[in-house]
Amino acid sequence: MTLRLLGVWQDKDGKDTYVVKRDGNAYAITGIDNSSTYKLEARLLETGDVRILDITAKDQAPCQFPVHMPPRIWLEGTTLRMAFLDSDWLRQLAVQQLGAQKTEGLTVTGASADAVRSFLVRYGGDARAEGEEQVLFRAQ
């Protein structure tokens, strides 16, 4: 999986580009869109045939809590499909099991990164957890 995820990925219009490189036990992702460039870090979580990227901002301000943006991913040749795990069903489970709070359109928890990752591995493979699917293509 590691080598297949590395490289340059673009949306169908070529407006959004993601450069994925290895960075120790994680992935360094540089996102480029029409007006900005940003850096992300991702860790691959796998259980059975379920693969989830636990994405956080690489350059966070001091004292800022990490924001986890977890998509479930499917790699199929030169296509990378992903669906962010952001359903109401999953948010409700996070409230119940991680002590999360809903605020300003976000679900926030003080749980440890390990607890969040365990939660994602446990429930991320359920189709009820998935939001809208996005498709990226390997750049030529």
Side-chain angles (χ1 to χ4, degrees):
M1 168 64 100
T2 299
L3 295 177
R4 292 179 33 208
L5 187 57
L6 301 178
V8 179
W9 298 91
Q10 294 182 316
D11 65 3
K12 68 179 179 177
D13 300 326
K15 293 179 181 177
D16 295 320
T17 301
Y18 303 91
V19 179
V20 181
K21 297 180 180 179
R22 199 75 172 122
D23 185 14
N25 292 330
Y27 295 95
I29 301 173
T30 302
I32 305 161
D33 62 26
N34 291 341
S35 60
S36 64
T37 299
Y38 49 93
K39 303 251 184 228
L40 305 169
E41 179 178 276
R43 297 191 182 280
L44 182 63
L45 310 174
E46 294 183 273
T47 180
D49 64 344
V50 176
R51 293 180 178 91
I52 298 167
L53 283 179
D54 182 16
I55 302 172
T56 56
K58 180 75 171 173
D59 300 322
Q60 297 178 27
C63 300
Q64 181 180 0
F65 290 106
V67 175
H68 296 264
M69 301 170 285
R72 181 171 178 191
I73 63 169
W74 298 265
L75 273 166
E76 300 161 343
T78 60
T79 302
L80 172 61
R81 294 185 307 123
M82 61 183 179
F84 279 91
L85 303 179
D86 62 358
S87 71
D88 289 337
W89 175 81
L90 191 64
R91 285 187 181 109
Q92 186 58 40
L93 281 176
V95 167
Q96 295 169 358
Q97 297 187 17
L98 296 175
Q101 305 264 332
K102 295 180 184 180
T103 178
E104 298 180 24
L106 298 174
T107 304
V108 180
T109 181
S112 70
D114 286 340
V116 171
R117 289 183 183 119
S118 292
F119 176 83
L120 293 174
V121 166
R122 183 170 182 186
Y123 297 107
D126 191 309
R128 294 175 291 179
E130 298 168 14
E132 184 178 336
E133 186 174 285
Q134 299 173 5
V135 180
L136 299 174
F137 302 94
R138 189 176 296 282
Q140 300 296 331

